[in-house]
Amino acid sequence: MGLASVMLGLLAFTAQAQTSDLVSKHALRVCADPANLPMSSKDGTGYENKIADLIGEKLDLPVRYEWYPMATGFVRNTLKPKKCDVIIGYAQGHELVLNTNHYLTSTFVLITPQDSPLAQVTSLSDQTLKGARIGVIAGTPPATHMARNGLIGKAKPYNLTVDRRYESPAENMLDDLQNGDIDAAILWGPIGGPLVKQQHADFAAIPLVEETLPPRLYYRITMGVRQGEKVWQRELNSLIRRNQDEINAILAEAGVPLINDMGTGLLDVGQ
């Protein structure tokens, strides 16, 4: 082996050691939004809080939080300056973080009263939706499908990026549905499913797994760590793999609709 190869190997080892040293050995330091139920909350009741508790238990570490609103600047003000070491829920493929393997695949859901004719709808191309007043988060993929199917005219848009300490578009949408101001709501399943289970037992949340045209409506959720921290990423990957059944149980108990990795059907988690 030449000297250049040895030096490159030493530099790579040193860089890896330095980045792994940035991760706390004394606590599982979690970056989280303090007012982002059903995912996370300062009172620890969100399902991401419970996943963090599970990971902390497996690592034999206490869970500590760095709280910051999940909006513009979240990663820049929490993970990047090393105030915390992991974001429990982050979309796969986002360049701001290094993603772990995904532990959750879910989809958008159509929410209607259980006794509504719309409760039988499984696709946004269903003609039963024609003329319906549908709530949708502006700028999300379902809005494109609604436009394609002529459903935007009577749609009611809700804000996408907000500070959840002061505004909750998902809860506002479901309140409007409860009050009859809209006929149906479309929400990201990991938000809509738990809100329906916890607050609106008379609603049905229908996973939209039959859409074949783009944009896709299902996404994979990972944990996010700092770029370059491959050792920490691999440790979390191992924890996810070995504890996937327990993670699934937490998600299912919360009401998160779990689907297979191809987005074509519900995942059987034995619940």
Side-chain angles (χ1 to χ4, degrees), residues 33-36 67-70 162-168:
D33 188 321
N36 199 30
W67 300 111
Y68 195 89
M70 182 68 78
V162 299
D163 186 333
R164 284 290 307 279
R165 294 173 297 178
Y166 308 108
E167 182 180 355
S168 178

Side-chain angles (χ1 to χ4, degrees), residues 170-181 199-200 203:
E171 292 182 348
N172 293 342
M173 192 187 303
L174 294 182
D175 287 343
D176 286 347
L177 181 58
Q178 190 79 62
N179 295 331
D181 297 326
Q199 303 177 18
H200 297 279
F203 288 173

Side-chain angles (χ1 to χ4, degrees), residues 31 39 48 70 74 86-91 103 221-224:
C31 324
M39 283 83 70
E48 289 184 359
M70 182 68 78
F74 178 78
V86 62
I87 302 170
I88 296 297
Y90 217 84
Y103 64 85
I221 301 301
T222 73
M223 297 180 192

Side-chain angles (χ1 to χ4, degrees), residues 43-114:
D43 65 8
T45 57
Y47 61 78
E48 289 184 359
N49 297 107
K50 295 175 183 177
I51 293 173
D53 289 341
L54 174 66
I55 298 300
E57 177 187 331
K58 301 303 180 181
L59 291 170
D60 196 25
L61 292 173
V63 178
R64 301 284 182 265
Y65 284 96
E66 177 67 24
W67 300 111
Y68 195 89
M70 182 68 78
T72 302
F74 178 78
V75 173
R76 184 176 69 250
N77 289 288
T78 59
L79 188 68
K80 192 171 182 180
K82 309 174 186 63
K83 295 179 180 179
C84 44
D85 300 314
V86 62
I87 302 170
I88 296 297
Y90 217 84
Q92 187 180 61
H94 204 293
E95 63 185 13
L96 288 179
V97 305
L98 178 64
N99 296 103
T100 66
N101 294 339
H102 67 278
Y103 64 85
L104 158 65
T105 304
S106 193
T107 186
F108 282 85
V109 293
L110 177 71
I111 302 171
T112 72
Q114 291 183 7

